Each structure stands twice: as C-alpha cells, then as structure tokens.
Amino acid sequence: MTPPTPAHRAVAGRPGPLPLPGPLVGADWLAPRLGTPGLVLLDASVGAHRGTDRRIPGARPFDLDGPLSDHGAPAPHTMPGAAAFTEALRDLGVRDTDTLVVYDAAGLYSSARAWWMLRAMGFDRAAVLDGGLPAWTAADRPVEAAAPAYTGPRGSFTAHPRPGLFGDGTGVAAALADPAAAVLDARTRERFAGTAPEPRPGLRGGHMPGAVNLPFGELQGPDGLMRAVPELRAAFAQAAGERQRLWFSCGSGVTACVLALGAHLAGYRDLTVYDGSWSEWGLPSARPVATGDGTGPSDPADAGPGTGPTGPAAARPGT
C-alpha cells in the first residue's frame, strides 16, 4: 500500500487537509463544515462591498484594495510578487496545510480573483463560494455582525509561483494575433462597444480589436449562482469556437477571473488573465482600440488613441 503524501498526512495530531469537491462550493457544502480545523474563510470583497458589517462567521479579509494588490504598479489590482503575497497570507494566519473558501459580498464577483491568485501562487486547495454572501444569506445561513478581521497568529503559507496564469500587454497582443487563441472580455456589452463610459477617467472606450465579449454576469443565473457546466461549455464554445487557448480581460483584472473560473469548470486548461486589462490597454497610447460589437464593419481595425467616451462610473468598481 502506498503511504500517504505529506500533503495528506495528519500533522502533530491534527487531521489532514479538508478535501474540496472542486473549485466551486455551495452554501450547503460549507455550512456544516464551519469551524472545521484547517478550514479558512476569506472575504475578497472590493470597493463599496469591502468592510461590510456582516460576514460569514470567522471570515478574514483578503483585501484586494489593500495589501493583496501591488500599489506600485500603474494599473489597479495588479498581482503582487511572491514575497508580498506570502507575507499577506501569513498575516491572515493561512498555513500551507489549510483549505480555503473565498467569497465576496457582491455575489460571484471579486472572489474568483482571489481564487485565481492562489492558483497562480501554486495553491490549489481553494474554492469560491457560489453566489457569495448574498446566496449564503438567502439560504438563511449564519452571519456575524462584524467586518472581516483577523488578529491571530501568523501562518506558514509559502507561495510557489506558476508562470503563465497572468499575462501582460505583450502577451495579450500576441494572443490577439494567434488563430489558436481567443481573448475574451468580461466587461458589459456597452463598455465593450464603447457606447458606455469607462468607470476610470482617462480611458478610451471600446475594446481590443479581435477580442470577443463575454460579460461575466452572463455566466451566472438569475439567482447569482454560476450556471451549470453544460451551459458554461456552450457559452465558451459560442465565444471561442474551437480555440482552447483562452485569455481573459476586464477593467482591472478582477471579473476576468470569473471567466477563468467558468472556463476551468467547463474543462478548459490553457488559461491566462491579462492583469492590466482595460486599465492598461485603454490608456491613451499606440495600442489599437475598436468600437462596436466586434462582429462587423462597425468595428474598425484601429480606432486610435483617444477614441470613445470617458467619464464617471458606469459599472461596479473592480471590473
């Protein structure tokens, strides 16, 4: 009989890591496991939803607006380096042997970003709570009247970066020119077309020529839960055709990760998130910008710098 690996062996009298059924778990799975040793809940809410006065009992703050983004980078919500990520997770008390469930107060919005970041840092024992805090409360599950917080001992988490899960502007430009790749944009159809203003001042309106629009909300049903796997497969097949190499973009690399989660559930494995997303590409520059829905002659090959509207927020922050 093959002995258990260290990752599955009980340590110092503690049980081994709690197994997950997959990268997405529901309230029915999580509720009976609250308080299980080694199970850590992380609230990855952003913007107005961060610091809500309600949390799932014991949830700790995975702060994408704070230490879990690189604030020295020109684009918001940029992935931090391995050392900074390790320190932030240790500050949250996360150990290498823990199992993590991530949620957010908006629903299924920014929690997928935390899940993707953990994968990029070599940690796979993490899942997103389907529907987030709204689905949890709709199911009449317990909440605490407190903001996410952690004051316990430091953890032992260590990042082991995986290349290729995040990419830059050069990489996405190459993907746009690659007939075997598809670049999927998670923003709303109006922002993709350039008919609605960008929420960040100074950005051009429109999209990368050759990109395909797949708004992240279309992967969710009216209840805010992720659609069933056959529906996800159909959505990605319609958007990407036969292409299996997928890149994802949005406003600042947050909701692009909802597409990454959906594609992973649908069975795709060659996946990359454009970390700078429209916050980088949409800046006035020589990078081409197109308008229209991307399906016909109303979608010019190069709209040039300065094309399209800019203005006040037209969508939730972090998209």
Side-chain angles (χ1 to χ4, degrees):
M1 179 177 177
T2 303
T5 64
H8 296 88
R9 190 181 297 129
V11 178
R14 296 195 304 266
L18 179 68
L20 289 165
L24 191 69
V25 299
D28 288 346
W29 182 91
L30 178 59
R33 293 171 175 81
L34 285 181
T36 300
L39 176 63
V40 175
L41 301 181
L42 299 173
D43 184 324
S45 302
V46 294
H49 296 282
R50 186 169 65 90
T52 179
D53 59 359
R54 292 187 304 165
R55 67 172 181 177
I56 297 176
R60 309 172 190 180
F62 190 101
D63 189 359
L64 291 166
D65 293 326
L68 281 154
S69 289
D70 179 0
H71 297 282
H77 298 132
T78 298
M79 179 74 188
F85 191 87
T86 293
E87 286 303 303
L89 269 290
R90 288 183 178 182
D91 285 346
L92 291 174
V94 176
R95 302 172 302 183
D96 287 324
T97 55
D98 285 336
T99 296
L100 310 181
V101 174
V102 189
Y103 74 93
D104 67 77
L108 213 168
Y109 181 65
S110 53
S111 49
R113 170 76 182 188
W115 170 78
W116 191 252
M117 291 168 71
L118 287 160
R119 286 181 58 80
M121 288 298 173
F123 191 89
D124 291 331
R125 206 167 44 258
V128 172
L129 176 62
D130 199 3
L133 187 61
W136 179 265
T137 56
D140 199 27
R141 300 300 184 180
V143 295
E144 292 179 333
Y150 180 71
T151 58
R154 276 172 56 83
S156 60
F157 178 92
T158 301
H160 300 282
R162 288 187 177 119
L165 274 72
F166 282 103
D168 60 13
T170 300
V172 77
L176 288 163
D178 183 355
V183 177
L184 307 183
D185 190 321
R187 294 175 300 154
T188 64
R189 297 200 179 278
E190 293 78 13
R191 287 174 65 190
F192 181 87
T195 59
E198 283 297 308
R200 296 178 179 87
L203 297 182
R204 297 172 287 171
H207 59 271
M208 293 173 273
V212 180
N213 195 200
L214 181 57
F216 78 95
E218 294 185 8
L219 299 188
Q220 302 169 39
D223 55 4
L225 302 178
M226 191 70 87
R227 293 190 181 276
V229 168
E231 295 178 71
L232 295 175
R233 288 175 180 156
F236 283 102
Q238 181 176 3
E242 297 297 320
R243 294 171 287 184
Q244 297 293 305
R245 180 174 172 240
L246 305 183
W247 276 66
F248 308 107
S249 180
C250 59
S252 67
V254 173
T255 57
C257 298
V258 177
L259 297 192
L261 173 60
H264 183 87
L265 292 167
Y268 294 85
R269 291 297 178 265
D270 192 350
L271 310 175
T272 303
V273 169
Y274 175 23
D275 206 18
S277 282
W278 199 251
S279 292
E280 177 180 82
W281 192 281
L283 289 169
S285 73
R287 291 188 177 102
V289 170
T291 55
D293 63 7
T295 62
S298 63
D299 188 39
D302 186 351
T307 298
T310 60
R316 288 180 289 179
T319 56

